[in-house]
Amino acid sequence: MQSVNKTVFLLVSLAPIFLLLSCSSEREPADVVVRHDSIGTPQNDAVGKRFQETTRQTPTAVKSAVELSEKYARLSEEAAVLRQKHHESVARNKQLKDQVVALETELQQTQTELGQANSLLIEMRIELNRWKTDILGFRDEMRDAETAQLETLLRILKVLGGHVDPESARAGNTGDVGSAVASMHRPDRP
């Protein structure tokens, strides 16, 4: 619609020019009287032709005006398409900028959470290593305490009248009190 309006405007504005050109070409040339005695030098043919109008220019002017109006319409349409593409690109660019801002905020939050998770993981690993060291360190103490308990139980059984097999006594000499206690017989029991 805009290109049609522009074409019509161009044709309307060029119409007076065409009318002026057509009016001047239909008139009969006026007789010009030139005195040769007033002009001392002969005139160049190019200077004389420069002011003469030819009838061939009228179709060329109309034709060129039509071509120019067609070219103008085509360029106007291309400009409209380019403007539309520009507006779409600007909108897409704004959308991408908004998305980048949101993603940067999310990235900063994620990096903060990742740093906190890493520090928590390091603390938990330190605590686990400390716990392992404590448990493994007390293992020998726990064995010594169990051995003392078993020796005490062996003495209690002897006091109560139990006897120790020679085989279990050997185990008791080697330090395996648990097997010695397990092999003890009670004479009163069936």
Side-chain angles (χ1 to χ4, degrees):
M1 182 73 178
Q2 290 178 350
S3 63
V4 172
N5 288 342
K6 290 178 182 177
T7 305
V8 169
F9 175 73
L10 183 65
L11 289 176
V12 169
S13 63
L14 292 176
I17 295 171
F18 294 137
L19 291 175
L20 288 176
L21 290 175
S22 64
C23 289
S24 64
S25 63
E26 292 179 12
R27 269 191 317 185
E28 293 182 16
D31 292 331
V32 178
V33 177
V34 179
R35 289 197 212 160
H36 294 287
D37 58 334
S38 65
I39 301 174
T41 60
Q43 288 186 351
N44 191 357
D45 287 337
V47 174
K49 290 181 182 179
R50 168 173 74 181
F51 295 106
Q52 291 180 355
E53 291 185 25
T54 60
T55 57
R56 294 185 328 195
Q57 287 181 351
T58 306
T60 307
V62 171
K63 192 175 195 180
S64 66
V66 170
E67 288 175 0
L68 287 175
S69 67
E70 289 174 357
K71 187 183 266 188
Y72 178 77
R74 196 173 46 242
L75 290 176
S76 296
E77 290 173 4
E78 288 178 17
V81 169
L82 290 175
R83 266 190 232 107
Q84 180 64 28
K85 285 182 180 179
H86 176 69
H87 290 299
E88 290 172 359
S89 297
V90 167
R92 178 74 176 145
N93 193 19
K94 185 179 182 298
Q95 179 186 9
L96 289 175
K97 283 182 181 180
D98 293 342
Q99 188 176 6
V100 164
V101 168
L103 289 176
E104 284 178 349
T105 305
E106 187 177 334
L107 176 64
Q108 288 175 353
Q109 181 180 359
T110 304
Q111 286 176 342
T112 304
E113 290 175 359
L114 181 62
Q116 292 173 351
N118 282 340
S119 63
L120 180 65
L121 185 61
I122 289 170
E123 287 178 26
M124 290 178 70
R125 183 169 224 166
I126 290 170
E127 290 293 322
L128 179 63
N129 288 338
R130 194 175 302 148
W131 180 82
K132 284 181 183 178
T133 304
D134 291 345
I135 295 299
L136 294 177
F138 289 117
R139 191 181 333 174
D140 290 334
E141 291 177 11
M142 290 171 30
R143 283 184 188 155
D144 291 341
E146 288 175 355
T147 304
Q149 283 179 348
L150 289 175
E151 286 175 357
T152 306
L153 284 174
L154 183 61
R155 286 183 196 153
I156 291 173
L157 284 175
K158 282 183 185 179
V159 169
L160 290 176
H163 69 281
V164 179
D165 287 340
E167 199 176 283
S168 62
R170 246 182 296 144
N173 290 339
T174 61
D176 192 5
V177 178
S179 62
V181 171
S183 65
M184 291 187 84
H185 295 284
R186 294 184 133 204
D188 298 339
R189 296 243 165 141

